[in-house]
Amino acid sequence: MLAHTGRPAAIRSAELVVQGLLRCGIGVRVLAEEAADLPLPSEVELVETGPGRPDVLEGCELLVVLGGDGTLLRGAEFARRSGVPMLGVNLGRVGFLAEAERDDLDKVVDRVVTRAYEVEERMTLDVAVLTDGHVVHTDWALNEASVEKAARERLLEVVTEVDGRPVSRFGGDGVVCATPTGSTAYAFSAGGPVVWPEVEALLMVPISAHALFAKPLVTAPDSVLAVEVQPQTPNGVLWCDGRRTVELPAGARVEVRRGAVPVRLARLHHASFTDRLVAKFALPVAGWRGAPH
């Protein structure tokens, strides 16, 4: 179990989930670094993270994450590495990655105990940074990899590319390369389309581009997207899921392709993505009558 220990609601929720699972004979494991902030009984197993230590999810059936989108993306790092499904409980504002809300804690415990959940795989991104034709950094993302300007007062000059062919050159705040899962995150804020999770595709969305043609693009899932930082422009920065960052010197090239390893999400509901979209964004649907029966 992973929790946002800076939120009182997460601490209380963690306590309820732990108690419920232990009562049903389910073993619970948490990170040692979070244990001091959580009211945990002695039966809970504590594990350390860090280089040279075993996978914290080794032998686990499920990763339960309590928090907002940032905590869920943190949990995705553990889930991807181990292949263990992640079940998110939203304690934040939107929580598109979450499967349950704060009021569903009893249901979450019951579904975990009875294994009444399904697992779906979400596409990820593999990201490479090249300078002078050599790979100098690799990373991955569940939502998006964004190439952004590092200096607020200067535009970042880039050329975008799809499948080895140039698309457009422009100055702006940067470019977001996203998965369908990430289409409701940063790419959405930058004006990109909402893509249903079942659709296999990659997205390229310019951020505040100063250009006549700088439209969001949706490409094939096996496409290779590239963003080249122009030699005369200030340094840029690469962000992966808003959590991991690396500086991009002028002339750097960022390549983004479909990830080799997906993230597995545990699902409790069969509600359509359309219903989830309407609920999360509080979209107005009054007046809808539906298809005639």
Side-chain angles (χ1 to χ4, degrees), residues 84-108:
V84 172
M86 178 177 74
L87 174 60
V89 179
N90 180 40
L91 303 179
R93 189 173 62 88
V94 180
F96 256 99
L97 286 172
E99 181 62 11
E101 301 295 326
R102 186 180 314 174
D103 296 336
D104 298 331
L105 291 178
D106 289 340
K107 182 187 298 183
V108 168

Side-chain angles (χ1 to χ4, degrees), residues 69 73 96 143-144 176 179-191 281:
D69 285 327
L73 288 170
F96 256 99
N143 275 351
E144 76 279 313
V176 178
T179 63
T181 299
S183 71
T184 51
Y186 194 177
F188 176 84
S189 300
F281 286 131

